[in-house]
Amino acid sequence: MNTKIVFQEFGKIPHYDKAIELCKNVHETLLFHDFAAWDIAIKEDGTPLIIELNSKPGILTWQIRFDSSLFGDFTEEVWRYISRK
């Protein structure tokens, strides 16, 4: 379904903080993924709802958009962490 909402005109995302908190809480339960992206909906009553987990999010798109590495100054630290797993 396309709501035809233009994000630049939308303004502040309602209940964004609740959505972030939900993602953080659920992410802690993942056993094998340290990096994931979440698709979230906000119900009319303000309750966030997880639509899906993306275990292979579009990293390349982000890097192209911002012309930098995904983790910026933390890249070396992330590589050290990953190499221990």
Side-chain angles (χ1 to χ4, degrees):
M1 180 174 101
N2 185 346
T3 61
K4 301 188 185 202
I5 293 174
V6 177
F7 285 103
Q8 289 86 352
E9 298 171 2
F10 184 74
K12 184 178 177 185
I13 298 172
H15 307 286
Y16 181 77
D17 55 336
K18 290 181 185 178
I20 296 296
E21 189 64 29
L22 173 64
C23 291
K24 286 180 178 179
N25 290 338
V26 175
H27 193 89
E28 290 177 357
T29 68
L30 297 178
L31 298 176
F32 301 108
H33 295 287
D34 284 338
F35 191 78
W38 301 92
D39 290 346
I40 304 294
I42 306 292
K43 295 168 50 174
E44 287 186 20
D45 68 357
T47 304
L49 175 70
I50 294 175
I51 298 171
E52 68 178 344
L53 158 71
N54 298 293
S55 61
K56 295 182 181 179
I59 296 171
L60 183 59
T61 304
W62 188 93
Q63 290 172 300
I64 291 169
R65 167 69 174 90
F66 293 101
D67 192 27
S68 72
S69 65
L70 178 63
F71 300 108
D73 294 341
F74 297 101
T75 301
E76 291 298 322
E77 181 179 344
V78 170
W79 277 114
R80 283 192 299 273
Y81 176 79
I82 291 171
S83 66
R84 290 189 304 228
K85 292 206 162 223

